[in-house]
Amino acid sequence: MSSYIGRFAPSPTGPLHLGSLYTALASFLDARHYQGTWLLRIEDLDPPREEAGATEKIIETLQAHHLHWDNAVVLQSQRSERYETVLENLADTGHSFFCTCSRKQLAAYPQGYPGFCRHHQTQSANGKNAAIRLKTDGIQQTFIDLLQGQQQLPKRPDGLTNDFVIKRKDQLYAYQLAVVIDDIDQGVNVVVRGNDILDSTFKQGYLYRALGHTPPAYLHLPVIAAADGQKLSKQNHAPAIDNNQALDNIRQALALLNQPMPPTHLNLPNTLLFSIEHWDRQYLSRDAWLTTADNVSG
Ligand code: GLU
Ligand code: ZN
């Protein structure tokens, strides 16, 4: 690849924990190993799920671990105008429609969208109390994940579509919309992220097509679980990373990534240089879940 552009795109729902540091480190090492650019974007689109101060804490933790990014940090909360412009463009080109279905109406169709609102005209309907959905077509989507191999969108039962929400009824922009617009605008061409969002890749694929762009390459890492099998997350009280243990944390994340261990006498910057040089995708485990020892699950 001529000019690799990767990124780490955390949602500020809490401070980084070992599972998110592992994802950050993988995307950093992969980008740096291939002489790429590595960007930081804060996906602060969902205020009810965010925690005050989390953005600052994430930034501090990345800095304390010498995971230095290129260019200025992009905050999604500052990009509403751009998202609105793209939404207008999708409406004008017939790619989207207002959806006024209630949660109750949709509850009977957990496997897809039954298409009730497809006939609405985005221009004429009143969007105040409506979500906006992307109109998806029947094309069978596939992609080859750099780690997980060939992936195929599961077939929907007859009569159901993949039409998904790109602006929510509460008027918040959907993650799917923002992530695609930002990755396009930032020129991102390699995405390294957790396997828990692999399925979103298909939705994002529809958006790339609707916007006339080619999707990036993807590498979906196994998600780190605590010893009880739950994904490490704020919800299950994964402990925040201790910035005073940066070298240990990086070594722990490297072990989870199954990379060659740097000699113990190296300091943090040299540990990272060693790992950039020795980074190898082939050592990564494919498994959907990697379980940590009890001592790191808290
Ligand atoms: N913001 C998402 C998260 O924190 C990641 C989005 C992505 O990498 O595409 O789970
Ligand atoms: Zn609807």
Side-chain angles (χ1 to χ4, degrees), residues 3-270:
S3 68
Y4 177 131
I5 305 181
R7 47 64 162 187
F8 178 52
S11 307
T13 51
L16 295 184
H17 50 74
L18 184 64
S20 37
L21 183 74
Y22 148 99
T23 307
L25 181 63
S27 97
F28 170 86
L29 292 177
D30 197 68
R32 297 305 192 210
H33 179 79
Y34 294 104
Q35 285 90 44
T37 297
W38 189 63
L39 306 173
L40 175 61
R41 182 171 73 233
I42 302 292
E43 304 212 315
D44 52 348
L45 273 184
D46 195 348
R49 290 189 53 232
E50 285 155 24
E51 188 180 289
T55 294
E56 293 72 17
K57 281 188 194 157
I58 290 171
I59 287 176
E60 262 172 46
T61 294
L62 292 173
Q63 282 170 337
H65 289 74
H66 287 236
L67 300 179
H68 302 305
W69 57 91
D70 300 305
N71 306 349
V73 181
V74 168
L75 300 176
Q76 289 191 326
S77 55
Q78 319 236 312
R79 291 186 34 86
S80 306
E81 238 173 89
R82 174 73 179 132
Y83 303 149
E84 235 11 271
T85 306
V86 174
L87 282 172
E88 275 166 35
N89 171 28
L90 287 170
D92 289 347
T93 51
H95 281 103
S96 64
F97 59 92
F98 279 124
C99 172
T100 52
C101 295
S102 63
R103 210 173 270 255
K104 213 169 148 191
Q105 268 175 299
L106 297 178
Y109 308 95
Q111 300 190 71
Y113 178 68
F116 297 146
C117 302
R118 264 199 170 209
H119 58 280
H120 286 178
Q121 287 307 306
T122 36
Q123 304 302 58
S124 57
N126 174 3
K128 277 269 160 56
N129 261 314
I132 300 176
R133 284 181 189 269
L134 190 79
K135 208 180 273 180
T136 60
D137 48 42
I139 293 174
Q140 187 62 58
Q141 277 203 53
T142 61
F143 71 95
I144 298 173
D145 189 89
L146 293 171
L147 181 60
Q148 309 296 338
Q150 173 98 20
Q151 303 295 315
Q152 192 152 34
L153 179 67
K155 255 206 165 332
R156 294 274 163 232
D158 281 346
L160 297 182
T161 73
N162 290 310
D163 299 356
F164 63 94
V165 171
I166 52 178
K167 187 175 184 182
R168 289 160 33 172
K169 213 174 224 177
D170 58 13
Q171 303 304 302
L172 294 180
Y173 302 101
Y175 152 68
Q176 310 291 356
L177 179 82
V179 75
V180 168
I181 298 176
D182 291 348
D183 281 340
I184 289 173
D185 289 357
Q186 296 186 275
V188 170
N189 50 19
V190 184
V191 168
V192 175
R193 62 184 178 189
N195 214 356
D196 52 327
I197 36 185
L198 186 141
D199 289 347
S200 284
T201 309
F202 296 111
K203 293 180 179 169
Q204 291 164 23
Y206 284 117
L207 268 168
Y208 276 98
R209 189 167 328 132
L211 296 170
H213 283 265
T214 311
Y218 294 96
L219 191 161
H220 286 92
L221 296 162
V223 167
I224 302 297
D228 62 0
Q230 297 286 311
K231 180 190 169 187
L232 281 190
S233 68
K234 204 186 79 177
Q235 284 69 32
N236 64 24
H237 308 290
I241 288 282
D242 177 356
N243 291 341
N244 296 317
Q245 304 288 328
L247 180 56
D248 280 356
N249 297 333
I250 291 286
R251 291 182 63 89
Q252 221 167 354
L254 283 170
L256 287 165
L257 291 165
N258 210 18
Q259 298 298 306
M261 283 321 267
T264 46
H265 69 267
L266 296 182
N267 64 10
L268 179 55
N270 287 324

